Amino acid sequence: MYLSETLQTPVTARYDVIVVGGGVAGIAAALAAARNGKRTMLLERQYLLGGLATAGVITIYLPLCDGMGRQVSFGLAEELLRLSITDGAEARYPHNWLEPGGSRTENDRRFEVQFNPHLFAIRAEELLLKSGVAISYGTYVTSLKREGNRVTHLITESKSGREAFAVGSVVDATGDADVAALADVPTVSYAPGNFIAGWYYSAGEEGYRLRAVGSSNRDADGDVGARLLGLSREEGSEFTVRSHAATLRHVLAQRETDPTCWPVTMATVPQLRMTRRIAGAYTLDLAESHRFFVDSIGLVSDWRKRGPVYEVPFGTLCHPSVQNLICAGRCTSVTDEMWDVMRVIPCCAVTGEAAGTAAAMSDDLTALPIEQLQKTLQAQGVVLHECDL
């Protein structure tokens, strides 16, 4: 059964760049677009910036370095790391990287921090507003208008009802390639699905602590139950319910030995790590560590082990079928093996800065000279190639 509707949607405003999704990738993209002089709007469905990093309490800003003594991610990736600990780090403070004269070898700690989710979200909000970004909270993109190979309008739902925004360029930083899917860009779903996770913070005799319940390779349910992709209403709800149950079990287990242990904050979004991505002009693979790409837009490392360095090709961010849409964060074009590397905070910041900069420079990304984009990124402090480290 289908319900027929006739809708008249008001066009509320026009923006040069609209970034959809206010996680770390979206924050970086919006900052880059605004700093490059474009009228920029950031749409976020929650009422807190940062996505999984804040609302999902996955509060570990993973390494900017290769684990062998070289910093590889720069620009906004470093700026946002430093922003996240403006008011102090919760843990993992890398003295050897943040203070002069520190040792940086394969035997030393990596350039990563643990930050407070609430303060990071508010500091990011302050920075975006200072940069001139319009932030629209509680806003979902539910549809769009596409004419030929361009997205002309994004259609949203919020407390203001149904609205349309005319747009020059769009950055999909949803994490799930939602806008790309609406625009009929080719996408790929993560076939294995996601383990259940239920991270939370507690306070008790052991103090204030982050509790990492479940991870990308360890199910909080103890490998009970099927993994979930999380792209449907039903699966998102099931993931959340199972996550809550895992959190509760862990809290009660802690309280058996420490009755003063109480949860003080928990994830308010599903901790889904890999869901859907674009099938871009190029798909980056895990085996391409240390490979030179002429169209590289930045460098990332492998948070799981020391050594690998990846140049990120511009072709992983977009598909030629839609000329003014570009992706950032965990929905860029990578193989399943590479996805676990590219989904984390530093990589999201690197691709976010590149996407936002490109969207600010042109509303036809298929015709954007890559050398011009690279020159702008370099001026912003980004290192493009491993040979330039």
Side-chain angles (χ1 to χ4, degrees):
M1 179 179 177
Y2 291 90
L3 178 66
S4 179
E5 295 182 275
T6 300
L7 299 172
Q8 296 291 323
T9 305
V11 179
T12 301
R14 185 190 188 282
Y15 286 87
D16 299 320
V17 178
I18 296 182
V19 179
V20 186
V24 172
I27 292 168
L31 283 172
R35 289 175 175 179
N36 278 281
K38 297 302 179 181
R39 187 168 187 244
T40 303
M41 178 180 240
L42 175 61
L43 307 179
E44 170 51 44
R45 63 186 181 179
Q46 308 295 327
Y47 285 85
L48 186 74
L49 293 175
L52 283 172
T54 58
V57 298
I58 301 179
T59 55
I60 301 171
Y61 204 120
L62 288 165
L64 301 181
C65 69
D66 64 354
M68 307 299 287
R70 297 186 302 174
Q71 182 177 345
V72 299
S73 298
F74 295 85
L76 281 173
E78 181 177 355
E79 181 179 344
L80 292 177
L81 179 145
R82 292 177 181 273
L83 181 73
S84 76
I85 55 171
T86 300
D87 306 285
E90 288 188 345
R92 300 191 187 208
Y93 185 85
H95 296 273
N96 56 322
W97 288 96
L98 294 174
E99 298 175 7
S103 176
R104 303 171 184 178
T105 71
E106 64 272 20
N107 299 314
D108 296 303
R109 68 172 59 199
R110 298 183 70 175
F111 194 176
E112 62 182 351
V113 300
Q114 182 180 314
F115 54 86
N116 179 270
H118 313 296
L119 293 175
F120 183 27
I122 295 170
R123 290 296 187 182
E125 181 182 83
E126 288 181 336
L127 184 59
L128 286 161
L129 294 174
K130 182 179 179 181
S131 300
V133 176
I135 304 172
S136 182
Y137 285 119
T139 305
Y140 286 77
V141 173
T142 57
S143 185
L144 55 79
K145 183 178 181 183
R146 175 176 166 177
E147 294 181 357
N149 60 355
R150 291 184 55 82
V151 174
T152 62
H153 297 79
L154 294 178
I155 299 169
T156 67
E157 294 279 358
S158 69
K159 295 293 283 187
S160 296
R162 188 174 174 90
E163 300 174 280
F165 293 92
V167 65
S169 297
V170 182
V171 179
D172 184 341
T174 62
D176 301 321
D178 287 339
V179 180
L182 289 170
D184 294 324
V185 171
T187 62
V188 177
S189 296
Y190 185 61
N194 291 275
F195 284 125
I196 300 301
W199 291 31
Y200 70 99
Y201 278 86
S202 68
E205 289 179 355
E206 296 182 0
Y208 169 79
R209 290 190 56 185
L210 174 64
R211 306 284 188 168
V213 181
S215 66
S216 60
N217 58 6
R218 186 179 70 253
D219 199 312
D221 274 350
D223 292 324
V224 175
R227 294 199 207 183
L228 296 170
L229 180 59
L231 283 177
S232 68
R233 171 179 54 81
E234 295 87 352
E235 284 204 359
S237 297
E238 181 183 350
F239 188 99
T240 300
V241 168
R242 287 171 58 185
S243 172
H244 290 167
T247 299
L248 178 60
R249 284 195 304 272
H250 196 276
V251 170
L252 296 179
Q254 299 304 309
R255 286 179 52 75
E256 287 181 3
T257 56
D258 177 9
T260 68
C261 178
W262 293 102
V264 293
T265 192
M266 58 183 282
T268 56
V269 297
Q271 295 172 328
L272 295 160
R273 292 166 168 84
M274 294 165 279
T275 54
R276 179 172 56 197
R277 63 167 177 83
I278 62 165
Y282 189 84
T283 300
L284 186 65
D285 185 63
L286 189 67
E288 294 180 294
S289 174
H290 307 297
R291 178 176 173 182
F292 178 89
F293 286 97
V294 68
D295 65 337
S296 174
I297 50 80
L299 299 172
V300 301
S301 62
D302 188 334
W303 62 273
R304 305 167 305 178
K305 61 182 180 180
R306 297 173 183 260
V309 176
Y310 294 90
E311 299 190 5
V312 182
F314 180 71
T316 62
L317 309 185
C318 49
H319 189 276
S321 62
V322 183
Q323 67 185 38
N324 66 333
L325 173 64
I326 189 166
C327 291
R330 60 187 176 93
C331 57
T332 60
S333 187
V334 294
T335 62
D336 281 1
E337 292 75 17
M338 189 64 188
W339 213 332
D340 195 37
V341 172
M342 287 299 297
R343 66 175 177 80
V344 301
I345 292 176
C347 305
C348 289
V350 168
T351 55
E353 180 170 8
T357 303
M361 294 177 67
S362 178
D363 61 2
D364 183 0
L365 299 166
T366 62
L368 175 63
I370 188 63
E371 298 85 358
Q372 184 180 350
L373 172 61
Q374 290 174 319
K375 183 177 180 181
T376 302
L377 289 171
Q378 286 176 315
Q380 293 169 190
V382 175
V383 176
L384 301 174
H385 301 290
E386 187 176 6
C387 61
D388 296 328
L389 292 174

